């Protein structure tokens, strides 16, 4: 069933107490022109507040009107709030990171610059890319059945990212130089955690000085196994491990 996200203001109540949903903009065009949906067909709508509505199409066109048949709390969101801090990477790898992070349960994605980043962008330069990444997050959320659209935040410096990440119940530094502490071991000790942060480096990983400063700020350095993962693989792998321990 096609899935769309709307604002609370797009949900209306009729005199008889029944609800309708008004789809506008690109989503209305997608329903009308691409999907070529007709009155009577089914659509699922999420209100960005973890509530879902099963709907029937009433009319199509520049605006699409839906009738709400039933509603419920979304059961697809993880019981924890995960923020992925991902260092900038080359080419379109960040697109892949965003898509897979959304699928694996991240609620926020924050790009940052570290010493070994090949890509060097200013915060202003990164804004156009951020808008593209947010669109990718929205499409991934629709595809995988999320109850929210995870946010892609503005670019941070390494220091800013570390300071933010350290505030989580489980602040993780995924570091290839870590040999003693494993991710599963940390997670099993903190089953009641509600917020998780994951710091992932660029293609060259973290400089030793960066790892030291992150640990001094309170981040827990963890390894992701004996194999070296590509940066675009590491985030999804770490999020999958977190889901296994804290959700499944």
């Amino acid at each position: 069933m096609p899935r769309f996200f709307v604002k609370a203001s797009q949900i209306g109540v009729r005199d008889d107490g029944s609800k309708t949903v008004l789809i506008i903009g690109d989503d209305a065009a997608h329903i009308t022109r691409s999907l070529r949906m007709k009155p009577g067909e089914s659509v699922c709508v999420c209100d960005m507040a973890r509530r879902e509505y099963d709907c029937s199409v009433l009319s199509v066109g520049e605006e699409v009107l839906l009738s709400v048949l039933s509603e419920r709390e979304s059961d697809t969101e993880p019981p924890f709030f995960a923020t992925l801090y991902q260092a900038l990477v080359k080419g379109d790898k960040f697109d892949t990171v965003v898509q897979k992070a959304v699928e694996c349960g991240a609620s926020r994605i924050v790009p940052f610059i570290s010493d070994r980043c090949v890509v060097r962008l200013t915060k202003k330069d990164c804004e156009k890319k951020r808008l593209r990444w947010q669109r990718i997050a929205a499409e991934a959320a629709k595809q995988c059945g999320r109850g929210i659209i995870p946010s892609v935040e503005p670019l941070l410096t390494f220091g800013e990212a570390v300071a933010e990440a350290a505030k989580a119940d489980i602040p993780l530094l995924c570091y290839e130089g870590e040999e003693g502490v494993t991710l599963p071991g940390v997670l099993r000790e903190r089953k009641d955690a509600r917020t998780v942060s994951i710091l992932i480096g660029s293609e060259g990983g973290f400089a030793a000085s960066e790892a030291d400063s992150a640990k001094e700020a309170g981040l827990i350095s963890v390894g992701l196994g004996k194999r070296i993962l590509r940066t675009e693989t590491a985030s999804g792998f770490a999020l999958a491990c977190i889901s296994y321990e804290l959700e499944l």
Side-chain angles (χ1 to χ4, degrees):
M1 185 187 303
R3 191 179 191 88
F4 298 92
F5 289 87
V6 299
K7 298 177 181 178
S9 60
Q10 292 173 247
I11 301 173
V13 181
R14 293 168 165 165
D15 292 339
D16 62 3
S18 62
K19 293 183 179 181
T20 60
V21 180
L22 186 65
I23 305 292
I24 58 177
D26 291 342
D27 285 341
H30 184 62
I31 290 172
T32 301
R33 299 171 190 168
S34 301
L35 297 179
R36 297 183 179 181
M37 299 191 76
K38 302 183 184 305
E41 294 193 69
S42 299
V43 173
C44 181
V45 171
C46 300
D47 66 359
M48 310 278 260
R50 303 192 181 197
R51 194 155 188 82
E52 299 179 358
Y53 303 83
D54 289 329
C55 303
S56 176
V57 176
L58 291 177
S59 63
V60 296
E62 291 186 4
E63 296 181 338
V64 174
L65 185 63
L66 310 175
S67 174
V68 175
L69 303 178
S70 63
E71 59 182 281
R72 61 188 176 277
E73 293 296 323
S74 173
D75 62 358
T76 59
E77 287 302 304
F80 53 85
F81 189 98
T83 300
L84 169 66
Y85 295 86
Q86 170 69 54
L88 292 178
V89 290
K90 294 185 296 184
D92 59 359
K93 291 179 182 178
F94 209 97
D95 295 4
T96 301
V97 168
V98 170
Q99 183 186 67
K100 301 311 176 188
V102 171
E103 292 178 19
C104 291
S107 295
R108 287 177 75 234
I109 301 159
V110 184
F112 70 91
I113 293 180
S114 63
D115 284 351
R116 294 180 178 175
C117 284
V118 175
V119 178
R120 313 300 294 188
L121 296 176
T122 65
K123 293 188 177 185
K124 183 177 179 180
D125 291 337
C126 194
E127 186 60 19
K128 290 183 180 178
K129 291 182 177 291
R130 188 184 71 82
L131 296 176
R132 168 182 167 78
W133 294 331
Q134 188 62 68
R135 289 194 295 270
I136 292 171
E139 290 304 315
K142 293 175 185 177
Q143 183 276 323
C144 71
R146 292 290 298 267
I148 64 167
I149 299 177
S151 61
V152 181
E153 304 293 340
L155 181 69
L156 298 182
T157 64
F158 175 78
E160 290 170 335
V162 167
E164 271 197 15
K167 298 175 183 178
D169 295 336
I170 306 179
L172 301 171
L173 170 72
C174 297
Y175 182 43
E176 66 278 8
E178 179 57 55
E179 297 181 353
V181 182
T182 65
L183 177 55
V186 171
L187 296 173
R188 287 167 190 162
E189 293 176 354
R190 306 192 183 194
K191 287 280 191 178
D192 59 345
R194 288 294 172 262
T195 58
V196 183
S197 59
I198 309 106
L199 207 72
I200 303 286
S202 63
E203 291 89 347
F206 290 111
S209 59
E210 289 178 321
D212 289 341
S213 67
K215 286 185 279 189
E216 288 173 4
L219 271 69
I220 305 168
S221 176
V222 296
L224 297 180
K226 297 181 179 180
R227 294 174 296 280
I228 300 297
L229 303 178
R230 293 178 183 272
T231 183
E232 66 270 27
T233 304
S235 55
F237 182 88
L239 284 163
C241 291
I242 293 166
S243 178
Y244 178 81
E245 289 292 342
L246 303 183
E247 178 181 15
L248 298 184

